[in-house]
C-alpha cells in the first residue's frame, strides 16, 4: 500500500483534508446528539453525504447480551425560568444544559429540589458540565457554577420538553472490502452532544481515513463504526458475533483533535500486532506520545476487549478520556480542536494502516552468507568506508532476518528503523529476487 | 476467610495479642535452649500451654538423610574463675557465655589455651557473642571484649558442667486441619538461647497466628513447626517425605519483632504463589520492605528449598539474619523487640493468609461485553462523571479478567489494587451472579 | 581445564607472550596484504612458523554461494608523479596509498580525473585512509588531505604496477583436536594491509591462544581461521558446510590491541552459550566493557550469522569497527597497539575458553536437605558466625542448583560469583562424592 492516491473531491477542494475535517466538525458541533434520537440520526446522515455509510436502526427493547436497547429520547427544548417568566437556563443556548435522558416535566420546583438536580464544575466556574442518566429515570440541568450561584429565588419553573418512547438506536457502518476477509475495525463513539474533541474529532478523522482507504489498494477489509458509546458497540457485537474472529486489528478513535501528544491504550492482550504497530509508528513519528496498558475503563474498547471477545482493539487518542481539564464540559468546544492536530492524527493512523497492510514475513532465497549486493546494484562500490547509510543497514537487516520467522515489524523493531524504511528495503530485495514473501498464514501477531 | 473471629482467652485478656506475644517472649527469654535438651523441651512446653502442640522426640542416632540426630546436650552451669576461686565469667549470668555443645571439663587452663577458646566481638566491646559447636567436639566461652581484656592471669580454672549423651531432639508440631489436604507450612527455629528477636519473636508470632487460625474458617490445612534449626527441619522432612507434596505454600518466620522494615526472601522457585502473594501484600501494606531472591544461606528454607524438595517456602523477616548489628549477640535482647512490630508482622502475615485462602479463579458468566451493573445496584447512576472510585474499577477489573485463566492475585497485580479490594469486588460480583469461582484444580501458582 | 601449561618456546623466551605478540605484529605490519595475493600468503606463512597452520588455496572463479572467488591481485608499486618525474605519492612509502584492487595503468591524467580517484579524510588532514574496490574494476589513491591540497598541477603521471589475474585466495586453518568433535571457532580477518589494531592484533592474539590450547588438556576441538574478510569466511563455509553444526561456540577476533575497554557483539541468537559466557567473564573481569546486540554489519560474523547458518558466533573486540578515530587509516599503526592490552585480551579469552570447557551440569547426589559439609571437611566448624566466606557460598550454591537443569554458568550467574570460583567449588564437591557431572548431551546452551 505504498503511496495511495489522495482523494480529490468537492468536499476538500478548498483547503485539503484538514480543512474538510474542520468543516465537518463545525457542522456537527451544534447538534444535540445522544445515544438515540434524531440528533444522532441527523449527524450520521451528514457523515453519510461523503461516504457510503449504512445507517442501522435497532428497535428499542432489542436485547444486546446483558443490555436492552433503551427507548428513544428526543429533546425539543428545556429551561429554568423565574416564576415571572425570565428564562435563566435554556437548552437553546447550549444543549449541555439538559442532563441527557431527562424526563419531560413542566412544574414549579422549590429551590432545594432544583439544586438537588443541578450539576456544576466548581473548580471551573464558567464551564457547563456534561451529564447523562440513560439507564435511570431522572431529570437534571447542567449549569456553570456562576449561574448556579444566581439561583436564589425560593422556587422556579422548570420545563423539559422531551420524549422518551419506543423508537430506535441508530448507528453508522461502512465496510470497505479488501482482497482478504480479514478485517481492521475503526470505531468511534458518536453520541456526545456539543463536545468537539470528544468526539467530533474522532468522527472527522475516521471519515477521512475511510475516504483515503476507498481509493487505495488494500489487502484487508476495513470496517468503520460510528456508534453510540457502550450500547452501540454492544448492539453491533450482538448482531455480528460471527464477524468478530475476522477482526485482526482494531482501533477506537477518540479525542484526536487537541494539541496534546498521542496516547495509545493497548488492547487487553497487550501484545497484539496492533499494539506493537501503533507503538512502533508513534516511536518513530516524532510527536510526544505514551503507551498505556489496557484498563477496563474508557471507551468502547471496554466492550471489544471484554473476556468473551478479547478482540485486538486498542484506543488511539491524543488527550485521553478524563485527561484534560475541558473533558466533558462546555470548554471542549471548537477552539480546542486544531486542523494541524487532526492532520497529524490522520497521518499517524495512515502509517499504522501502512504497517498493518505491509507486515509481511519473508524468506531469504540466498540465506547462506550474505548475497553479493554489489553485482545487483544494491551496494556502495567502495569498500573501507564507514557505514552511515541506513538504507544499506535496512537491506542487511531484512536479509539477515528473512528466515520465515520474523515479520517486517519484528525486523524494524530489532533494527530500530522505521517500518516504512524496512518496507522499502524489502521491496528492493524482493525486486532483486533475493527474498520472497511468506504465506500470510505464517505471519506472527 | 473474611473477618475471622479474634481469639479471646485468658492469655490475651490483658492487652490483646501484642501484649500476649510480648509476655511469651519475656517468659522464654531466660531459658537456655539448644538444638536438643531440656531448655528446648521446656520452651516448647510453654508454647503448648495455649496451643494443642504435639511435642515430638527423635532419638539420638536417628538418621535424617545425610545427617544423624546428635546426642542430647544439657548444661547445668559453667564458669571461668581465678585460681583463688573468683568467678569472672558465669553461665548463670548469661547462657550465651557458654559455647553450645561444649564438652564437660573442670581443670586449670593456661591463659593462652583459654584465649584460644574465647570468642568476642571486638567492634562491640560490651556485647557477648553467640556461638555453637554442635557437630565438632570442642569447648569455649563467649565473653565481651571488655571481659576478655581483664583475663591477664597466667592460668584460670575452667568448669563446664554439661552432659552430652544419647537422648532426644525435641520439636513441636501443630496441625490445624482445613477443608483441603493442601497445606501451608509455618516453620520457626526454636533452638536459640537468650536471643529475643532471633527467634523468640518468630515463635511468638507463629503461636499467635496459629491461635487465630484455629478459630477462623479456613480452606487449607495449616502446619506449624517449632524446630531446632537445620537438624530439626531435616528430622521433620525425613519423617514426613510423603507430606511434602501437599505443602502448597510455606514461610519460615524469623526476626519479626524488631523495628526494621520487612525483608522477604523468596523461595528457590522465585515465582511460587507465596512469593507473589507476600510481595503483593507488602507492596500494598505501607511499611518499608524489600524482596530478596533466594540464596542457599539463612534459616531452614535452606532445607525446604534443597533441590530434592524445592518446596515453595520463603522466609519472612523484618531484619534479616546477619543484617542488624545485634544479630547473634547479647544485644539481641528484650529491648530490641517491640509489641507494635510484632503486631504489624502478625497483621501482614494475616493478610498473606487471606490471599492464600482467597486466591480464586473466576469465570465471568456474562462475558460478552460488560454486564449492566446499574440494574444490579453496582454502578453509579450518573454518567459523564470522571472515574474516581476504586471500588468501581475493582469490579470492572474482576469482570474483565474473570476468564478462568487469571487468579484474583493476577487480577490484583494487573489492576495495581490491593488483594483485599479485589476480594471484596469478587464477592459482590459472585453474590450478583455475574461470576463463578472456578475449580480449585485450575488455579495457577 | 584448570591451570594449563604455559608454552615455553624460542619465540617467547624473550619477554613472554605479550612481547611475542608484539613482535609478530611488528613483523607483519609492513606487508601489503589484500583478500588475495602474495602479501597475504607471506603473512600466513609467518604465522605458520610457530603453528601447524594449513594454508588453503582456493582458485579464482570458485563459487562460494552467491559469490565468486575473485582474480588474484598483486601490487609491485604505484605512484603519482609530476610530469617532470617527481614522485608525490608513492606506494613504497605506505601501501595504504593504493586503493586495493586498482587496475594497472601508466598514463597522464588530468587533475580533475585524478581528484575523482583520490580519497582523503578531511577531518584528519595528516592521515591516509584505507580503501578497496574488490568487486568493481576501478583505480584510486588514498592520500592525506594535506597531500591532496598540494596537487595543483594541471596533469600528473599516474603509474599503477599491479596484476589482476586468475590465481588463488589463500587462508590459514588450524584444527586442534580435543576429546569431542564439538568445536569452538576463532576467526580473524587477515586481509588488511598496514593496519595494526585492525587486525594484526587479532591475528597475534589468535595465534597465541592456539599455542596455549595446543599444550593444554581440552574437551573441545578448536578451529582457528586466518582469512580474508567476507570472501574468506564464505569460502570456508562453502567448503565446510557439513562442519557448521559441530561449531558450538565461536568468536570473531578483531581490534584487540588498543587500550579501549572491551566490546562484545553478541551472536545473532543473542542468548547462545558463548554470548552468556563472554558477558559473564567480562562482568567479573574488572575491565570496562559493553555488550552490544547483533547487527548485520561488522566482520565475518555477518557470514557466520547469516540466516542459513545462524551460528553461535559473536565478535570480541576492544574498540569496535568504526568506533575509534584511527579506524581504517594510517593512524591505526603500531603505536595504537599495546602489549599489556594484547595480554589482557588474551587472558579474558582464556577465561572464556575455561568457561566453555568447564560449563558442566551436575546432579546433587544428596539432594534432600543439605549434605553435612562439616564431616567432609568442607564447612567451618564454629556455628553462629556470620557468613563472609564466598567459598562457603559457592559450595552451597552448587549443591542447591545441582539438579541436572542448571549449568555451572547458570549457577554462577544466579550466585553472582565468578565462573572460576564455581568451577573450584564443583571440583571440591565432586571430589567429595556429593555431586556428579551430568551427561554432556543434557547441557544447556
Amino acid at each position: 500500500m505504498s503511496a495511495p492516491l489522495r482523494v480529490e473531491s468537492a468536499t476538500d477542494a478548498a483547503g485539503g483534508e484538514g480543512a474538510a475535517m474542520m468543516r465537518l466538525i463545525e457542522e456537527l458541533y451544534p447538534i444535540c446528539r445522544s445515544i438515540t434520537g434524531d440528533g444522532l440520526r441527523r449527524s450520521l446522515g451528514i457523515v453519510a453525504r461523503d461516504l457510503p455509510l449504512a445507517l442501522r436502526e435497532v428497535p428499542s427493547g432489542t436485547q444486546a447480551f446483558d443490555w436492552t436497547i433503551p427507548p428513544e429520547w428526543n429533546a425539543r427544548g428545556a429551561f429554568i425560568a423565574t416564576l415571572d417568566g425570565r428564562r435563566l437556563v435554556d437548552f437553546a443556548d447550549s444543549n449541555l444544559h439538559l442532563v441527557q435522558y431527562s424526563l419531560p416535566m413542566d412544574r414549579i420546583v422549590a429551590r432545594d429540589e432544583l439544586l438537588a438536580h443541578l450539576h456544576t464544575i466548581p473548580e471551573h466556574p464558567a464551564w457547563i458540565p456534561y451529564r447523562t442518566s440513560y439507564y435511570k429515570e431522572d431529570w437534571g440541568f447542567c449549569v456553570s457554577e456562576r449561574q448556579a450561584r444566581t439561583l436564589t429565588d425560593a422556587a422556579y419553573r422548570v420545563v423539559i420538553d422531551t420524549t422518551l418512547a419506543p423508537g430506535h438506536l441508530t448507528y453508522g457502518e461502512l465496510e470497505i472490502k479488501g482482497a482478504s476477509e480479514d478485517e481492521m475495525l475503526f470505531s468511534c463513539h458518536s453520541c456526545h452532544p456539543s463536545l468537539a474533541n470528544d468526539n467530533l474529532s474522532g468522527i472527522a478523522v475516521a471519515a477521512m481515513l475511510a475516504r483515503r482507504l476507498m481509493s487505495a489498494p488494500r489487502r484487508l477489509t476495513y470496517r468503520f463504526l460510528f456508534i453510540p458509546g457502550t450500547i452501540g458497540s454492544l448492539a453491533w457485537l450482538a448482531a455480528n458475533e460471527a464477524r468478530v474472529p475476522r477482526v485482526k486489528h482494531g482501533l477506537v478513535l477518540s479525542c484526536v483533535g487537541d494539541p496534546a501528544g498521542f496516547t495509545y491504550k493497548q488492547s487487553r492482550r497487550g501484545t497484539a500486532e496492533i499494539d506493537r504497530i501503533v507503538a512502533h509508528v508513534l516511536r518513530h513519528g516524532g510527536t510526544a506520545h505514551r503507551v498505556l496498558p489496557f484498563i477496563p475503563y474508557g471507551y468502547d474498547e471496554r466492550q471489544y476487549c471484554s473476556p468473551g471477545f478479547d478482540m485486538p482493539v486498542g484506543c488511539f487518542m491524543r488527550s485521553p478520556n478524563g485527561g484534560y481539564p475541558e473533558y466533558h464540559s462546555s470548554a471542549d468546544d471548537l477552539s480546542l480542536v486544531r486542523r494541524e492536530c487532526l492532520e497529524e492524527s490522520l497521518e499517524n493512523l495512515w502509517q499504522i494502516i501502512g504497517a498493518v497492510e505491509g507486515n509481511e514475513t519473508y524468506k531469504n532465497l540466498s540465506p547462506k552468507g550474505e548475497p553479493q549486493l554489489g553485482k545487483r546494484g544494491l551496494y556502495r562500490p567502495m569498500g573501507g568506508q564507514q557505514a552511515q547509510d541506513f538504507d544499506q543497514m535496512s537491506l542487511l537487516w531484512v536479509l539477515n532476518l528473512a528466515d520465515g520467522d520474523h515479520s517486517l515489524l519484528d525486523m524494524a523493531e530489532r533494527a530500530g528503523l522505521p517500518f516504512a524504511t524496512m518496507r522499502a528495503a524489502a521491496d528492493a530485495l524482493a525486486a532483486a529476487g533475493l527474498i520472497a514473501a511468506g504465506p500470510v498464514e505464517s505471519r506472527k501477531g
Side-chain angles (χ1 to χ4, degrees), chain A:
Chain A
M1 180 185 255
S2 39
L5 294 172
R6 291 300 166 82
V7 180
E8 293 294 342
S9 79
T11 311
D12 60 351
E17 295 174 330
M21 291 189 284
M22 279 304 295
R23 282 198 300 275
L24 179 59
I25 292 170
E26 287 157 4
E27 184 175 0
L28 293 172
Y29 182 71
I31 301 171
C32 180
R33 282 164 295 277
S34 184
I35 56 171
T36 60
D38 285 330
L40 172 63
R41 199 171 277 117
R42 181 149 65 94
S43 298
L44 296 175
I46 290 168
V47 175
R49 270 196 322 237
D50 288 320
L51 286 173
L53 191 67
L55 265 58
R56 316 283 188 206
E57 297 280 352
V58 187
S60 298
T62 303
Q63 201 66 19
F65 308 118
D66 193 52
W67 301 63
T68 307
I69 303 299
E72 182 172 330
W73 181 75
N74 282 289
R76 276 176 300 268
F79 59 85
I80 302 171
T82 57
L83 296 189
D84 59 4
R86 199 158 38 90
R87 293 193 182 189
L88 302 177
V89 176
D90 196 337
F91 177 79
D93 297 332
S94 167
N95 56 44
L96 296 181
H97 276 317
L98 183 60
V99 168
Q100 294 220 330
Y101 269 64
S102 281
L103 298 176
M105 68 186 285
D106 181 351
R107 64 179 170 88
I108 307 301
V109 171
R111 183 172 177 268
D112 278 358
E113 183 185 354
L114 177 60
L115 290 184
H117 288 83
L118 275 195
H119 304 277
T120 68
I121 308 175
E123 59 272 37
H124 293 291
W127 298 357
I128 308 165
Y130 158 62
R131 294 285 181 274
T132 69
S133 189
Y134 302 136
Y135 301 104
K136 176 163 177 268
E137 298 206 339
D138 202 351
W139 64 272
F141 280 82
C142 297
V143 297
S144 74
E145 178 71 15
R146 283 186 197 142
Q147 277 178 303
R149 286 186 197 141
T150 65
L151 299 176
T152 52
D153 293 359
Y156 292 92
R157 182 179 171 210
V158 173
V159 174
I160 300 176
D161 180 13
T162 56
T163 55
L164 185 63
H168 293 82
L169 173 145
T170 316
Y171 69 86
E173 181 169 13
L174 170 60
E175 181 187 76
I176 307 174
K177 279 197 184 295
S180 166
E181 292 216 322
D182 287 350
E183 295 196 0
M184 181 168 190
L185 174 70
F186 288 96
S187 176
C188 51
H189 62 280
S190 307
C191 51
H192 285 187
S194 294
L195 299 174
N197 195 41
D198 177 21
N199 189 28
L200 298 180
S201 69
I203 294 171
V205 168
M208 191 56 72
L209 267 186
R211 289 178 60 199
R212 281 198 181 186
L213 280 163
M214 287 177 65
S215 58
R218 57 189 173 263
R219 183 171 61 82
L220 294 179
T221 292
Y222 290 84
R223 185 168 307 278
F224 287 80
L225 297 179
F226 299 85
I227 48 170
T230 305
I231 189 68
S233 49
L234 289 166
W236 183 84
L237 285 165
N240 293 276
E241 279 201 62
R243 192 174 296 278
V244 166
R246 293 191 199 165
V247 178
K248 305 304 183 191
H249 322 274
L251 289 175
V252 168
L253 299 185
S254 177
C255 303
V256 290
D258 65 294
F262 290 109
T263 298
Y264 178 63
K265 175 183 164 183
Q266 296 174 325
S267 77
R268 180 181 186 267
R269 301 181 188 180
T271 56
E273 192 174 347
I274 188 66
D275 296 323
R276 295 176 56 214
I277 284 176
V278 176
H280 177 85
V281 166
L282 293 179
R283 191 158 53 241
H284 288 278
T287 304
H289 67 280
R290 54 183 179 168
V291 175
L292 303 179
F294 178 78
I295 64 166
Y297 189 80
Y299 293 111
D300 287 292
E301 68 277 8
R302 293 164 66 165
Q303 310 310 323
Y304 301 125
C305 296
S306 57
F309 294 118
D310 196 21
M311 294 167 71
V313 176
C315 183
F316 186 91
M317 304 171 275
R318 299 190 74 107
S319 282
N321 54 308
Y324 56 108
E326 302 88 350
Y327 178 74
H328 279 192
S329 85
S330 56
D332 185 352
D333 61 15
L334 292 172
S335 71
L336 195 64
V337 171
R338 299 190 191 168
R339 192 183 70 175
E340 64 272 22
C341 299
L342 294 166
E343 288 169 340
E344 194 183 43
S345 298
L346 183 72
E347 283 313 315
N348 275 273
L349 288 162
W350 197 243
Q351 292 288 323
I352 289 164
I353 289 173
V356 165
E357 285 280 324
N359 190 20
E360 300 277 2
T361 298
Y362 291 93
K363 288 289 280 185
N364 184 331
L365 302 175
S366 182
K368 294 181 178 176
E370 293 173 7
Q372 195 178 356
L373 296 177
K375 68 186 183 190
R376 295 174 177 90
L378 293 171
Y379 204 68
R380 58 171 194 282
M382 179 64 54
Q385 293 169 309
Q386 295 192 26
Q388 43 189 228
D389 182 355
F390 277 128
D391 289 333
Q392 194 66 53
M393 284 308 292
S394 61
L395 292 172
L396 294 175
W397 272 115
V398 172
L399 285 168
N400 189 266
L401 296 177
D403 55 8
D405 289 330
H406 292 84
S407 71
L408 210 48
L409 178 65
D410 294 332
M411 300 182 197
E413 289 186 347
R414 186 150 170 191
L417 295 174
F419 185 88
T421 301
M422 299 300 275
R423 176 74 267 165
D427 288 345
L429 291 168
L434 287 171
I435 62 172
V440 171
E441 306 90 79
S442 74
R443 287 174 56 213
K444 287 175 148 188

